[in-house]
């Protein structure tokens, strides 16, 4: 009887021990689950809200809208020094970009998290004056984000509206300038009024060049595309023997700078316009770009160290950027050999342009020494 009672007690003790051990194991498991969930939620809060891909991503990109989700992501990326490779991707700066890693990072951040804004400044002209060089050179600056192509908004695409135009712009941070260039704006009658309607405070850059040289360069470019066009002399004159210049030819008319400038001065103050010498841009690119930076209110970062003179092309190129093994020169269409024009023709055109040039010098307060 005693033996039976002892056996029964042992069974009860074993069962109790089993139930107690099982309870402890369950409690430990629940504790770990609760602790792990709390850690994950804390980390998610720290990392910021993650957004699923939008079905309307293209429309948002066009309008340059930044939703709350993107704002949270960028804030958390800055706070934690993101380990996400997408957050640390190298900046794809403009061709020929130079500068410190901080400059590249600034551009990268703008590309990912900035807003698309209407331009603060425009390179409005002139064709074959050196506008592409100014654009490529100023894009070195980390506080400038520029559209690489010519949008032709204020002359050809104005009916598309400002939202369309804004959608073309690169993303910029609040501290950066948005810039675009379209040289035909300078000779488009409606452009000054349209730009003024967008913003009275827009800064305008005009790159000018000896109008005779500019006209020959313009003709050379057209000839390369249309080899069957008449000779330069046939297009430039109504009657060459009498010295009657054909001002209806666009290559001639563009160089009558003062006529176009008078149209711009109806809508903008002269202080809002900066005139770059196409000739000095070749002989002293750092000096000319220094004045452009001053005009835009930028720190002078673009200096002599960024340039070297390419004797083959006959104009300055950007030195090898950190992201490339090759120096950066402008395209093949830049620096092409001009068509040879007789000296008599050049002198006739110089005589024609002289009164226009003098009035232009007086108006802008700068002697470009084209005579």
């Amino acid at each position: 009887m005693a033996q039976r009672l002892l056996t029964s007690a042992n069974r009860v003790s074993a069962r109790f021990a089993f139930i107690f051990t099982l309870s402890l194991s369950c409690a430990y498991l629940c504790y770990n689950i609760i602790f792990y969930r709390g850690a994950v939620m804390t980390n998610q809060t720290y990392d910021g809200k993650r957004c699923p891909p939008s079905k309307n991503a293209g429309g948002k990109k066009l309008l340059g809208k930044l939703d709350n989700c993107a704002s949270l992501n960028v804030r958390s990326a800055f706070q934690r020094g993101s380990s996400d490779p997408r957050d640390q991707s190298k900046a794809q700066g403009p061709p020929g970009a130079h500068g410190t890693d901080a400059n590249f990072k600034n551009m990268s951040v703008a590309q990912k998290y900035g807003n698309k804004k209407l331009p603060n400044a425009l390179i409005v002209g002139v064709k074959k004056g050196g506008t592409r060089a100014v654009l490529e050179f100023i894009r070195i600056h980390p506080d400038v984000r520029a559209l690489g192509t010519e949008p032709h908004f204020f002359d050809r695409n104005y009916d598309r509206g400002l939202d369309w135009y804004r959608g073309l712009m690169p993303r910029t941070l609040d501290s950066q300038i948005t810039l675009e260039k379209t040289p035909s704006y300078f000779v488009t009658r409606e452009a000054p009024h349209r730009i003024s309607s967008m913003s009275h405070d827009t800064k305008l850059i005009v790159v000018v060049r000896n109008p005779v040289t500019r006209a020959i360069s313009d003709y050379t470019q057209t000839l390369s595309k249309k080899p069957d066009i008449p000779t330069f002399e046939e297009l430039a004159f109504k009657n060459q023997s009498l010295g009657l210049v054909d001002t209806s030819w666009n290559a001639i008319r563009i160089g009558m700078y003062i006529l176009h400038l008078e149209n711009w001065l109806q809508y903008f103050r002269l202080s809002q316009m900066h005139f770059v010498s196409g000739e000095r841009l070749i002989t002293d690119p750092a000096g000319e770009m220094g004045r452009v930076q001053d005009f835009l209110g930028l720190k002078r970062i673009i200096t002599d160290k960024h340039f070297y003179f390419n004797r083959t092309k006959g104009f300055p190129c950007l030195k090898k950027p950190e992201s490339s093994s090759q120096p950066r020169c402008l395209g093949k269409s830049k620096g092409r050999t001009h068509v040879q024009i007789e000296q008599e023709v050049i002198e006739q055109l110089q005589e024609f342009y002289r009164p226009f040039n003098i009035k232009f010098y007086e108006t802008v307060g700068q002697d470009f020494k084209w005579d």
Side-chain angles (χ1 to χ4, degrees):
M1 185 68 175
Q3 183 66 31
R4 190 176 299 167
L5 289 173
L6 183 60
T7 302
S8 178
N10 287 341
R11 288 176 180 172
V12 171
S13 297
R15 187 174 297 170
F16 177 82
F18 174 78
I19 294 173
F20 180 77
T21 302
L22 183 62
S23 299
L24 285 177
S25 298
C26 290
Y28 181 77
L29 181 61
C30 291
Y31 175 81
N32 276 293
I33 290 173
I34 294 171
F35 179 84
Y36 180 76
R37 182 173 179 272
V40 169
M41 290 185 69
T42 301
N43 193 48
Q44 286 177 339
T45 302
Y46 183 74
D47 282 350
K49 180 182 177 182
R50 295 187 179 274
C51 302
S54 171
K55 294 181 180 179
N56 193 30
K60 288 186 177 180
K61 183 177 181 181
L62 180 65
L63 296 177
K65 293 181 179 177
L66 205 73
D67 58 16
N68 293 332
C69 190
S71 299
L72 287 169
N73 281 338
V74 66
R75 189 183 304 119
S76 61
F78 277 121
Q79 288 172 340
R80 70 181 182 270
S82 173
S83 59
D84 187 335
R86 293 171 299 178
D87 293 339
Q88 292 182 335
S89 61
K90 292 183 180 180
Q92 299 300 314
H98 298 250
T100 64
D101 290 340
N103 293 347
F104 286 126
K105 183 177 180 181
N106 200 24
M107 291 181 181
S108 181
V109 169
Q111 287 173 345
K112 290 191 69 172
Y113 305 118
N115 293 311
K116 292 192 174 188
K117 299 179 294 188
L118 293 171
N120 312 87
L122 300 171
I123 301 174
V124 298
V126 299
K127 180 183 178 185
K128 306 309 294 180
T131 57
R132 172 55 62 176
V134 172
L135 179 72
E136 292 299 328
F137 295 165
I138 198 62
R139 291 173 82 186
I140 296 171
H141 204 292
D143 291 331
V144 173
R145 296 281 289 129
L147 184 64
T149 56
E150 297 174 6
H152 286 278
F153 175 66
F154 294 105
D155 56 354
R156 302 177 191 171
N157 296 302
Y158 193 65
D159 59 341
R160 291 176 179 260
L162 286 174
D163 282 343
W164 176 85
Y165 183 50
R166 183 189 292 110
L168 300 177
M169 297 300 122
R171 294 184 181 276
T172 55
L173 303 176
D174 290 341
S175 61
Q176 293 177 313
I177 289 175
T178 303
L179 179 72
E180 73 108 326
K181 90 157 179 92
T182 304
S184 55
Y185 289 164
F186 190 67
V187 297
T188 300
R189 188 76 187 172
E190 300 82 9
H193 174 64
R194 291 171 174 177
I195 295 171
S196 177
S197 296
M198 176 186 73
S199 173
H200 294 295
D201 299 321
T202 305
K203 292 186 175 183
L204 308 168
I205 298 172
V206 187
V207 190
V208 289
R209 181 184 186 185
N210 185 318
V212 179
T213 309
R214 198 221 65 80
I216 296 172
S217 179
D218 198 339
Y219 175 79
T220 301
Q221 182 182 56
T222 304
L223 184 66
S224 69
K225 300 174 181 178
K226 300 177 181 179
D228 297 330
I229 62 173
T231 65
F232 180 85
E233 291 80 4
E234 290 177 293
L235 293 170
F237 294 94
K238 290 180 177 179
N239 188 321
Q240 186 180 350
S241 61
L242 297 177
L244 295 178
V245 175
D246 190 350
T247 58
S248 66
W249 186 32
N250 203 43
I252 292 293
R253 189 165 184 80
I254 289 174
M256 301 161 69
Y257 302 136
I258 186 60
L259 299 186
H260 309 296
L261 179 60
E262 288 173 346
N263 183 35
W264 285 88
L265 291 178
Q266 294 182 47
Y267 302 94
F268 292 95
R269 302 182 305 277
L270 192 62
S271 60
Q272 290 178 256
M273 306 184 75
H274 178 72
F275 299 89
V276 177
S277 166
E279 287 78 19
R280 288 198 298 269
L281 191 61
I282 294 174
T283 59
D284 181 24
E288 281 300 291
M289 293 311 299
R291 287 181 278 275
V292 171
Q293 291 171 90
D294 293 343
F295 172 68
L296 294 175
L298 300 169
K299 180 180 178 181
R300 285 199 179 195
I301 290 177
I302 305 168
T303 62
D304 283 323
K305 70 180 182 181
H306 292 98
F307 302 100
Y308 78 96
F309 189 80
N310 185 308
R311 295 184 181 279
T312 302
K313 282 187 169 288
F315 56 74
C317 295
L318 297 170
K319 290 181 180 177
K320 182 179 76 65
E322 296 174 4
S323 59
S324 172
S325 60
Q326 297 294 328
R328 166 67 179 175
C329 278
L330 301 182
K332 294 180 180 179
S333 64
K334 310 299 179 182
R336 61 162 62 95
T337 302
H338 288 178
V339 174
Q340 292 299 309
I341 305 298
E342 293 182 4
Q343 186 60 32
E344 179 185 357
V345 173
I346 293 175
E347 290 175 357
Q348 284 179 302
L349 290 177
Q350 286 176 334
E351 188 65 26
F352 165 77
Y353 279 120
R354 184 167 289 113
F356 296 100
N357 292 344
I358 292 173
K359 184 68 181 297
F360 181 67
Y361 299 165
E362 292 173 349
T363 303
V364 304
Q366 188 176 164
D367 186 349
F368 292 92
K369 302 184 184 303
W370 293 326
D371 297 313

